[in-house]
Amino acid sequence: MEESSGGISSMKFFSDQHLSYADILLPHEARARIEVSVLNLLRILNSPDPAISDLSLINRKRSNSCINQGVLTDVSYIFLSTSFTKTSLTNAKTAKAFVRVWKVMEMCFQILLQEKRVTQRELFYKLLCDSPDYFSSQIEVNRTVQDVVALLRCSRYSLGIMASSRGLVAGRLFLQEPGKEAVDCSACGSSGFAITGDLNLLDNTIMRSDARYIIIVEKHAIFHRLVEDRVFNHIPCVFITAKGYPDIATRFFVHRMSTTFPDLPILALVDWNPPGLAILCTFKFGSIGMGLEAYRYACNVKWIGLRGDDLNLIPEESLVPLKPKDSQIAKSLLSSKILQDNYRDELSLMVQTGKRAEIEALYCHGYDYLGKYIATKIVQGKYI
């Protein structure tokens, strides 16, 4: 009986996971899902007793999140369970949201027919022109795109919506896009090579590297310093930055590197503050804000610094008080079930001291110290 009960529990777990995934579809498959949704709506409207049914959408709140602890792999990630929210045309509070879903689906259908790719920003301006009564902000468009993803169970990229990328890469990596010359990312200057927002192009790009580490850098300025100093010549590595909170394309790029070079450790260099840890956790576990696509880009990222044991390297006057926003982020992270104990200890220390430290504080040892700091951490294996 115990085995049977465990089997049922496992089946339910994997069933929940499957239902909360967003498929990657070919354009004609995505169009077919849109057509089926429209036909179902028309069938209801043409019935003898017409009634517009509610749209059942996967609940994208933290309370509906579940965790895969990586039993078969070393990657743990967040995914959404099968709790639903309802958007109704007959409810005054959700009527506009109901209509927005169909407006965005119509626009996506046209994009797919024309074999185009648009960013969410471009989609906003088109919707603003075509349906100003329903779309007044980028946030409304972003949320509606997630609603459409939840309704059709396919990725936004499958709908013709391209990721806007802020990401840069530099170091010991050669990238060759289909039909183009290979790019040497160590010869792109201190600005690095821009990561494209075209996920299909990223997926088909050939990658070659003799690096031994992949290092994610929170800040553009720190990335610029490390690349300008050509630290990748001393530490055989690839540097990647999303210039802050990671966009989809940069996360996809890191995930693609992790599958192409599975033996390379992925290390993260972030500020010692709650936002820095939140950025690391987004790369490591995914994010609820990504809805049904949250799980797809998770990687086994290790935290190299800054951490609490580095505070002795930083002058007291370089430590600054936590901001109110920092405290909110810390509270949210501490309530997360996925946060591992040593990360939780670091976060608790930040809250206890009420202080935060930025990577730039290490410049008190000289502008060339960052490379030495990273090398020491790697040699001593001080990453968690």
Side-chain angles (χ1 to χ4, degrees):
M1 288 296 291
E2 291 179 1
E3 287 184 15
S4 174
S5 174
I8 291 170
S9 175
S10 298
M11 287 174 65
K12 183 178 184 301
F13 174 81
F14 286 112
S15 173
D16 283 358
Q17 262 185 287
H18 177 71
L19 288 171
S20 59
Y21 278 14
D23 298 323
I24 296 177
L25 305 177
L26 295 172
H28 74 275
E29 294 172 327
R31 292 201 310 269
R33 289 200 185 182
I34 295 173
E35 288 169 342
V36 167
S37 296
V38 173
L39 287 171
N40 284 337
L41 178 63
L42 292 175
R43 179 178 53 78
I44 293 167
L45 292 175
N46 287 326
S47 66
D49 185 21
I52 300 177
S53 62
D54 299 339
L55 293 178
S56 293
L57 306 171
I58 291 286
N59 184 344
R60 299 195 299 275
K61 293 184 178 179
R62 180 180 292 277
S63 58
N64 189 40
S65 64
C66 295
I67 300 163
N68 182 318
Q69 294 288 4
V71 176
L72 301 179
T73 71
D74 56 4
V75 178
S76 297
Y77 55 80
I78 298 168
F79 70 95
L80 294 171
S81 189
T82 52
S83 171
F84 288 87
T85 59
K86 293 188 181 297
T87 301
S88 172
L89 187 61
T90 58
N91 184 325
K93 292 183 179 180
T94 62
K96 275 197 170 183
F98 183 96
V99 175
R100 286 188 197 114
V101 169
W102 298 100
K103 291 285 186 183
V104 167
M105 272 204 285
E106 177 190 16
M107 195 67 69
C108 289
F109 192 84
Q110 293 173 3
I111 292 165
L112 292 169
L113 272 181
Q114 296 170 24
E115 298 181 344
K116 300 283 187 184
R117 296 280 176 193
V118 301
T119 64
Q120 288 191 174
R121 191 65 176 167
E122 291 173 317
L123 187 63
F124 163 60
Y125 280 109
K126 189 71 171 74
L127 289 164
L128 186 63
C129 294
D130 290 5
S131 308
D133 293 337
Y134 293 98
F135 296 94
S136 58
S137 70
Q138 183 71 58
I139 291 175
E140 287 176 345
V141 173
N142 295 351
R143 286 176 178 165
T144 307
V145 168
Q146 285 286 15
D147 285 344
V148 173
V149 167
L151 182 66
L152 300 177
R153 307 289 176 86
C154 67
S155 69
R156 74 189 74 189
Y157 189 77
S158 301
L159 296 169
I161 300 172
M162 185 171 66
S164 296
S165 178
R166 300 183 304 275
L168 300 170
V169 58
R172 301 169 84 107
L173 179 68
F174 284 84
L175 297 173
Q176 187 167 13
E177 297 176 356
K180 293 187 178 181
E181 293 290 324
V183 174
D184 180 357
C185 294
S186 68
C188 294
S190 57
S191 297
F193 182 73
I195 296 169
T196 179
D198 188 333
L199 303 191
N200 186 57
L201 192 59
L202 282 179
D203 202 30
N204 288 286
T205 296
I206 297 171
M207 297 179 168
R208 291 184 289 113
S209 178
D210 64 351
R212 295 180 62 187
Y213 305 95
I214 299 166
I215 301 178
I216 296 169
V217 182
E218 174 185 348
K219 294 178 170 178
H220 183 210
I222 300 299
F223 172 90
H224 187 280
R225 166 58 51 207
L226 292 167
V227 176
E228 187 175 77
D229 292 348
R230 300 186 69 79
V231 171
F232 51 78
N233 283 340
H234 308 291
I235 306 169
C237 66
V238 176
F239 289 115
I240 299 170
T241 184
K243 302 178 185 176
Y245 194 83
D247 55 86
I248 300 168
T250 306
R251 287 170 59 187
F252 182 90
F253 186 85
V254 173
H255 185 264
R256 174 75 206 287
M257 284 205 71
S258 74
T259 55
T260 305
F261 310 109
D263 296 329
L264 297 190
I266 305 174
L267 312 176
L269 180 64
V270 298
D271 287 340
W272 191 72
N273 58 26
L277 180 55
I279 287 169
L280 185 156
C281 287
T282 301
F283 278 108
K284 187 176 180 70
F285 305 119
S287 64
I288 294 302
M290 277 288 294
L292 272 68
E293 299 176 273
Y295 74 96
R296 197 177 293 280
Y297 311 102
C299 300
N300 184 23
V301 179
K302 305 289 187 182
W303 189 1
I304 194 169
L306 291 177
R307 298 209 312 276
D309 58 5
D310 296 320
L311 296 184
N312 63 320
L313 299 172
I314 298 171
E316 181 67 29
E317 56 269 21
S318 295
L319 300 177
V320 295
L322 290 178
K323 301 175 183 177
K325 182 67 174 175
D326 294 336
S327 299
Q328 292 175 14
I329 294 172
K331 185 177 180 181
S332 176
L333 285 170
L334 285 170
S335 67
S336 172
K337 299 174 186 175
I338 203 167
L339 201 66
Q340 59 201 64
D341 289 343
N342 44 15
Y343 287 17
R344 195 175 296 275
D345 292 342
E346 291 279 347
L347 193 57
S348 296
L349 182 60
M350 295 175 201
V351 174
Q352 181 184 338
T353 60
K355 299 289 186 180
R356 52 184 281 160
E358 300 191 357
I359 302 166
E360 289 90 341
L362 294 173
Y363 286 156
C364 65
H365 301 285
Y367 288 112
D368 61 347
Y369 181 72
L370 275 180
K372 298 173 185 175
Y373 167 84
I374 295 171
T376 301
K377 286 274 189 171
I378 287 175
V379 169
Q380 294 178 354
K382 287 190 174 181
Y383 40 85
I384 56 176

